[in-house]
Amino acid sequence: MQDTTHHNHPEKSHCRICKEHVDHNNAFYPFCSARCKQVDLGRWATGAYVVSRPATDDEVQEAVFGGKP
Ligand SMILES: [Zn+2]
């Protein structure tokens, strides 16, 4: 994995998908949103990464619809 977004700001990072700023206390950290989290889950699901278990229905539900407005 290449990570060129490391700076000296431990509380700030960038979304791994769209590179938007994302705060460390974002519910979807290290992603900016449920959508980007879902994109990453999709990558896992398609075998881009080795994963020990698939996302649960609850996790997918949360990722797709979001836990917050
Ligand atoms: Zn994003």
Side-chain angles (χ1 to χ4, degrees):
M1 181 187 299
Q2 58 183 8
D3 184 358
T4 59
T5 61
H6 265 163
H7 304 295
N8 295 323
H9 299 288
E11 295 185 358
K12 287 287 188 178
S13 189
H14 292 83
C15 176
R16 289 163 55 181
I17 304 303
C18 71
K19 311 305 181 188
E20 286 290 324
H21 285 285
V22 55
D23 195 86
H24 75 290
N25 61 15
N26 187 306
F28 302 107
Y29 183 86
F31 309 102
C32 70
S33 66
R35 188 186 68 84
C36 288
K37 182 179 179 181
Q38 182 63 25
V39 170
D40 192 70
L41 284 173
R43 290 183 181 178
W44 281 78
T46 56
Y49 308 111
V50 176
V51 63
S52 59
R53 64 169 178 79
T56 65
D57 287 347
D58 282 349
E59 287 171 343
V60 172
Q61 187 91 357
E62 182 177 336
V64 172
F65 298 105
K68 298 175 183 176

